[in-house]
Amino acid sequence: MNFDFDEVIDRRGTSAVKWDKYAGRDVIPMWVADMDFRSAPAILDALKQRVEHGVFGYTDPPPELNDVVAASLERDYAWKVRPEWLMWLPGLVTGINLVSRAIGDDGDDVVTAVPVYHPFLSGPVYQRRTMTRVPMRLEGAKWIWDLERLEAAITPRTRLLLLCNPHNPVGRVFSRGELSALARIAEKRDLIIASDEIHCGLVLDRDKPHVCIATLGADVAARTITLMSASKTFNLPGLGCAFAVVSNDELRARLIRAAAGIVPRVTAMGFAAALAAYRDSAEWQRALVDYLRVNRDLLIERISAMAGLSVTPVEATYLAWIGVDPRLREPAEFFERAGVGLYDGRVFGAEGYVRLNFGCPRALLERGLARIASALTPRSR
Ligand SMILES: Cc1ncc(COP(=O)(O)O)c(C=O)c1O
């Protein structure tokens, strides 16, 4: 089947967060992480059917959903998950907050590596934890966890390690060896691991398989809460549906207690979309990843050729982490004036970077890249 990712769909007037930020201005939005593609046909059909039915009462997960998710985790990541290990959540950020709330006590510490998806930094603080940020290290062109600094940063009050894999914003797919090294530290210092794997369906490099950290061994699994969702891969963030996989019964019970009374159910539409995503949309996903890979290659080639910008390999996600010459101050504002809306790196805890979302039709990406290039090229008089 052919899917048309080239179609430019007008999202203006749909209250899209991404586009409304620049309503009435000629700025191409390439900031927040959703894609400008229509979702997979099977998902659209499932949603239409649900609407046709017309009754939207409180809804449990569809009976086959946990089995379908478990089967896809086994097929894609050789992870044997029992259906009862799943806990459904109305969003992954809810999961980050919930884990922060469930693990440790007020004033205990949570550690993560920066730059990182910003709710990793705010969620624990909202839940009255302190936050320790360990800067990632550039090894050649590769962003890696700085294990020495991580070990040094862990205190007796550190209870939780937040991992983002594949990593937003640096686009890494951490290898089995890298994950094992992190897991060893978590074991030695008795930390719970919360692993946000929301981007696992968007691996672009064919030779870098996603490894779920919970598959590394029984002890790692017992201390790990994995957070996942169909929302990035299938472009469903507006439908609010995510889940935690927790094999440790005691840990799962803690999460359920922490959620009581404050975390709403997933909506009927969110469940319908998730089921159609995991059960019926693998072909669309493969086509999407092929399309994103070409976008990625185009972006890397163009950005690498621009004076003042640098970019590291994007192994997964549709997000590029772009270094900006320090002489170019306030880079996000600079590019916004040039007609391209990017996220400032400071949002993710790092100065001198912007993050660009290339999950869009190629024509839009081309236009955005051309605007960036011409903003950087001094005009001839
Ligand atoms: C690493 C990561 N986790 C979570 C989310 C958001 O999840 P949700 O919309 O389900 O809260 C994003 C969105 O960009 C993300 O990149």
Side-chain angles (χ1 to χ4, degrees), residues 277-292:
Y278 287 111
R279 191 189 54 195
D280 306 321
S281 304
E283 194 187 344
W284 183 91
Q285 180 186 352
R286 278 192 293 276
L288 168 78
V289 168
D290 286 345
Y291 192 88
L292 290 175

Side-chain angles (χ1 to χ4, degrees), residues 33 91-94 96 117 120 164 168 196 198-199 229 231-232 237 242:
L92 203 137
V93 171
T94 303
I96 294 169
Y117 178 56
F120 275 48
C164 189
N168 169 11
D196 175 340
I198 196 170
H199 292 279
S229 168
S231 73
K232 288 293 129 182

Side-chain angles (χ1 to χ4, degrees), residues 180-323:
S180 300
L182 279 176
R184 272 197 299 276
I185 293 174
E187 282 170 4
K188 194 164 91 186
R189 307 297 289 267
D190 196 19
L191 307 181
I192 299 295
I193 301 170
S195 184
D196 175 340
E197 303 186 11
I198 196 170
H199 292 279
C200 63
L202 294 169
V203 175
L204 306 177
D205 282 2
R206 291 191 180 85
D207 61 342
K208 296 191 178 68
H210 172 73
V211 176
C212 300
I213 194 164
T215 61
L216 291 181
D219 185 273
V220 188
R223 63 177 65 252
T224 297
I225 297 163
T226 304
L227 297 165
M228 294 181 149
S229 168
S231 73
K232 288 293 129 182
T233 307
F234 299 95
N235 208 27
L236 307 166
L239 293 180
C241 182
F243 59 94
V245 187
V246 195
S247 62
N248 178 328
D249 295 339
E250 193 267 324
L251 211 48
R252 197 166 57 256
R254 266 153 79 182
L255 285 186
I256 292 168
R257 272 199 305 277
I262 53 167
V263 177
R265 288 166 191 271
V266 172
T267 65
M269 301 308 264
F271 277 136
L275 179 60
Y278 287 111
R279 191 189 54 195
D280 306 321
S281 304
E283 194 187 344
W284 183 91
Q285 180 186 352
R286 278 192 293 276
L288 168 78
V289 168
D290 286 345
Y291 192 88
L292 290 175
R293 191 181 298 114
V294 178
N295 274 8
R296 187 260 327 251
D297 292 347
L298 175 80
L299 172 128
I300 299 279
E301 186 195 310
R302 297 278 172 83
I303 296 285
S304 308
M306 294 182 200
L309 298 187
S310 60
V311 62
T312 39
V314 184
E315 299 167 350
T317 78
Y318 47 78
L319 308 165
W321 186 239
I322 299 172

Side-chain angles (χ1 to χ4, degrees), residues 142 165 172-181 209 211 216 315:
K142 196 168 170 181
N165 180 42
R172 282 293 322 284
V173 177
F174 295 116
S175 69
R176 187 172 290 277
E178 289 176 286
L179 294 172
S180 300
V211 176
L216 291 181
E315 299 167 350

